[in-house]
Amino acid sequence: MATRTVCQVLQRRFASSAAAVRTPATEVRGQRNAVFSREQARQRALYPRIEKIEVSMQGPGLDGTLLIMNRGMSTPLSCARHLTEHHLINSALALVDGEPWSLHQPLTHSCSLTLLTFKDSDPTLVNQAYWRSCAALLGQVLETAFKDDFTVELLNTPEVPVTSGAFCCDVVLDPQLDSWTPSEESLRSLTRGAQQLIHQDLAWEPLEVVPSVALEIFSHSRCKQEEVEQKAAQSPKGTVMLHRCGDHVLLSAGPLVARTGLCSQYEVTAIHSLGQGLWGLRRRAQGLSLPLQLQAHHTVWRKLRQRAEKMVRTARMQEVNGLSPPDSTPPRTSQ
């Protein structure tokens, strides 16, 4: 008990020291966007000449359809534009040679392509990407929900199945907010923030990068830098996947759906305390959502919401998000 108390005191001192010299949130977001855009431009420049690739479309009514596209430039969304309005509007994710693929990720070789929707006979992959996207949206809202006086550190987002009843986003707020208990109005405010992003219909832009680029992007966050190293070590190619939504850059465990506008009913349902961790007091924000193509009657929604209020427990609930306590390196901040 004494050791735990000492650790908590040291963590608070580290956090206070870091907060005193932290970089303004707008500057952090600007730096992340600049590095993301620079790397995105560098990768696009790898294909200076237009080279053609063959894309063999798969799926109902499309078998045998062959599209001639541009290597390194065309995306699954580009292919959808050559098909019908149904494919353009309803596609949420793609399979490229059987591999889950973002609609905005460029195609680099001749391949087979399947466009996935929420109403497919087996929507498992789309549902997983949607749940992951909803959690990403919640993290983006949390980063900008508090005044610039308070730091917000997004932790490694737990991958939970849709059957868990809620998507999750783990976060450490400024130590000054340790005693804060979210009210119903606080949850409604976060919900409104998410709905604003949904109405903007923003794209989730994917970018696969080497660890050094990701480390530069998250140079203001020791927590995210350690997450980069973990994901790179687990990746067969040694790379990490980033996404950008508006001015928010995030790490992702897998592909996201094409755009925020695919979300329809969306509500932040709870924020639970997980106890002290290496980065401070950990909280688990949770939410519930249904995509645009699937709607629920308000009575059904109310029952789903009641379930989504209960804490989602994962197999790694007791594992601390991070490998070592923070040092004097300023943590990532937000307004």
Side-chain angles (χ1 to χ4, degrees):
M1 177 64 72
T3 302
R4 181 184 303 175
T5 302
V6 170
C7 289
Q8 292 177 358
V9 170
L10 289 174
Q11 289 166 11
R12 289 175 181 274
R13 288 180 179 176
F14 283 135
S16 299
S17 173
V21 295
R22 69 177 183 270
T23 305
T26 53
E27 185 176 329
V28 171
R29 285 196 296 273
Q31 180 263 346
R32 290 180 179 176
N33 272 284
V35 178
F36 188 100
S37 295
R38 184 192 71 199
E39 176 63 15
Q40 190 179 60
R42 186 196 70 80
Q43 292 189 19
R44 289 173 176 172
L46 296 176
Y47 305 94
R49 297 184 304 169
I50 296 180
E51 300 178 36
K52 297 299 180 179
I53 58 174
E54 295 183 349
V55 179
S56 176
M57 300 301 304
Q58 308 292 322
L62 294 177
D63 289 345
T65 301
L66 186 66
L67 300 178
I68 306 301
M69 307 301 290
N70 297 325
R71 178 172 178 256
M73 299 172 60
S74 298
T75 65
L77 188 62
S78 306
C79 296
R81 292 194 178 100
H82 289 277
L83 302 174
T84 67
E85 185 177 3
H86 167 81
H87 293 98
L88 184 60
I89 294 176
N90 294 307
S91 297
L93 192 69
L95 286 179
V96 174
D97 290 337
E99 177 186 355
W101 201 271
S102 167
L103 290 187
H104 297 287
Q105 189 169 352
L107 302 170
T108 58
H109 57 274
S110 294
C111 60
S112 66
L113 173 64
T114 305
L115 298 174
L116 304 179
T117 75
F118 293 103
K119 291 189 175 182
D120 290 343
S121 57
D122 182 7
T124 301
L125 290 175
V126 180
N127 288 342
Q128 290 174 345
Y130 183 73
W131 224 228
R132 192 181 297 125
S133 305
C134 289
L137 191 63
L138 179 53
Q140 184 169 352
V141 170
L142 287 168
E143 271 209 334
T144 57
F146 299 89
K147 296 180 179 179
D148 198 33
D149 296 336
F150 302 114
T151 59
V152 177
E153 186 74 65
L154 298 179
L155 304 179
N156 192 351
T157 300
E159 284 276 302
V160 297
V162 176
T163 53
S164 64
F167 52 82
C168 306
C169 177
D170 289 357
V171 63
V172 169
L173 302 179
D174 193 285
Q176 299 176 73
L177 296 173
D178 280 359
S179 61
W180 174 63
T181 300
S183 63
E184 284 298 321
E185 178 54 37
S186 300
L187 299 180
R188 285 193 290 268
S189 178
L190 293 172
T191 296
R192 288 193 294 270
Q195 290 172 345
Q196 289 175 2
L197 294 173
I198 290 170
H199 291 323
Q200 292 178 45
D201 198 19
L202 300 170
W204 270 296
E205 306 172 69
L207 190 67
E208 187 175 10
V209 302
V210 295
S212 60
V213 173
L215 290 172
E216 182 181 0
I217 286 177
F218 295 108
S219 59
H220 294 87
S221 172
R222 277 285 311 280
C223 175
K224 283 299 175 188
Q225 288 188 326
E226 293 200 4
E227 187 179 343
V228 167
E229 293 168 353
Q230 291 172 348
K231 289 187 182 304
Q234 295 166 358
S235 168
K237 295 188 290 185
T239 57
V240 295
M241 180 60 73
L242 305 176
H243 283 83
R244 179 169 64 181
C245 180
D247 63 356
H248 177 70
V249 179
L250 66 142
L251 283 165
S252 176
L256 306 183
V257 297
R259 51 194 173 86
T260 61
L262 288 172
C263 303
S264 179
Q265 292 171 282
Y266 188 107
E267 189 171 353
V268 181
T269 57
I271 299 180
H272 297 287
S273 174
L274 300 180
Q276 285 291 334
L278 294 178
W279 304 101
L281 178 62
R282 298 181 300 140
R283 300 175 190 253
R284 173 158 294 170
Q286 298 181 186
L288 173 67
S289 181
L290 286 175
L292 193 60
Q293 297 171 350
L294 303 173
Q295 299 293 307
H297 189 271
H298 64 87
T299 55
V300 175
W301 179 262
R302 185 166 60 248
K303 292 180 180 179
L304 292 173
R305 189 194 189 286
Q306 290 173 351
R307 182 187 178 193
E309 292 174 356
K310 300 177 182 179
M311 183 188 292
V312 173
R313 300 186 179 277
T314 64
R316 302 176 65 184
M317 277 286 288
Q318 304 304 320
E319 182 174 337
V320 175
N321 286 284
L323 299 178
S324 60
D327 61 8
S328 57
T329 303
R332 179 164 49 79
T333 61
S334 180
Q335 290 181 332

